Every structure is written in structure tokens, then in C-alpha cells.
Amino acid sequence: ERISPQSLLVRTNDPKLTVKQFQQLLIANIRQEFEHNLSQQLYVSEDAWAMVRNAKENMTRLINTAAAGLEPGTPSIELSKILMDLLARAENSPLDATISAIKKEFSEITSQVQ
């Protein structure tokens, strides 16, 4: 959830940055979150972890796609606008299916323990 665009944009927003700087910052945050949660792969299935990896890659791709249409020196707010527009037009967030799958898996595991 911390790499969702809404969360990322709020946490890393800095109007002084250019599109290129903001793109790099967003991707660095995604990588940092992924690395921070790397040990969690021990607690989920291989399929669930593959979904986490795919979600990371999809978010990175979304940011790169949004930034590709802008000049590198453009103010970062323009990248934020494009990302929010892309998400508004998408049927669901790139992370929704992953979060749902992990919650379902966790629910199944906890019900087996009880």
C-alpha cells in the first residue's frame, strides 16, 4: 500500500523538483519499500510474492510512462497530474489485485491456525 500512487505522491511531493527528479525519487521510494519488505516473502506463497514483484514493476512502468510524455525540466506537479489521470482512467489500481490476494492468503492462513 505504501507504493500506491496516492500514497507515494503525498509522501514525496516537493514542488521544487523537476519531472526527472520526481520520477527518480518515486522509483527510489518503490525500490526502498520493496527492499524493506523483502523478508516478507518468507511468509507468503510464491504466487503472492510474484504478484508483489509484478506490482512493483507495474508501478515503476506507470511512472516511467507518465514521465515519458513530459520534458525532464517540467515542474513535478505535472507528473503528479498525469499519474492521477492515468489512475482515474484505469479500471483498478495496479496494486489492488496484489493487496487483495495477500489479504486473502493471510485470512486463509489465520483461519487454519485457529
Side-chain angles (χ1 to χ4, degrees):
E1 291 178 346
R2 286 183 49 88
I3 68 167
S4 72
Q6 299 86 339
S7 179
L8 271 175
L9 294 174
V10 169
R11 243 187 12 259
T12 58
N13 184 27
D14 184 347
K16 298 177 211 154
L17 297 177
T18 65
V19 164
K20 186 68 173 172
Q21 292 167 327
F22 195 42
Q23 175 187 13
Q24 291 170 340
L25 179 63
L26 291 171
I27 292 170
N29 269 265
I30 290 170
R31 286 183 182 136
Q32 183 179 27
E33 284 298 323
F34 182 79
E35 288 171 10
H36 177 73
N37 291 308
L38 204 53
S39 65
Q40 299 304 311
Q41 68 182 308
L42 298 173
Y43 305 106
V44 297
S45 68
E46 288 183 33
D47 289 340
W49 191 250
M51 288 182 77
V52 170
R53 281 193 317 270
N54 286 336
K56 172 190 165 262
E57 292 167 11
N58 289 337
M59 284 303 306
T60 301
R61 192 175 308 112
L62 179 71
I63 292 166
N64 288 334
T65 299
L70 297 168
E71 291 295 321
T74 304
S76 62
I77 189 71
E78 297 304 318
L79 179 55
S80 294
K81 288 178 186 177
I82 290 175
L83 285 169
M84 294 310 289
D85 185 52
L86 288 171
L87 289 168
R89 288 189 277 146
E91 290 181 22
N92 56 8
S93 162
L95 304 176
D96 288 345
T98 301
I99 292 169
S100 293
I102 291 172
K103 285 181 179 181
K104 181 180 178 203
E105 189 171 292
F106 181 74
S107 176
E108 290 171 359
I109 291 170
T110 57
S111 68
Q112 290 173 359
V113 173
Q114 296 174 350

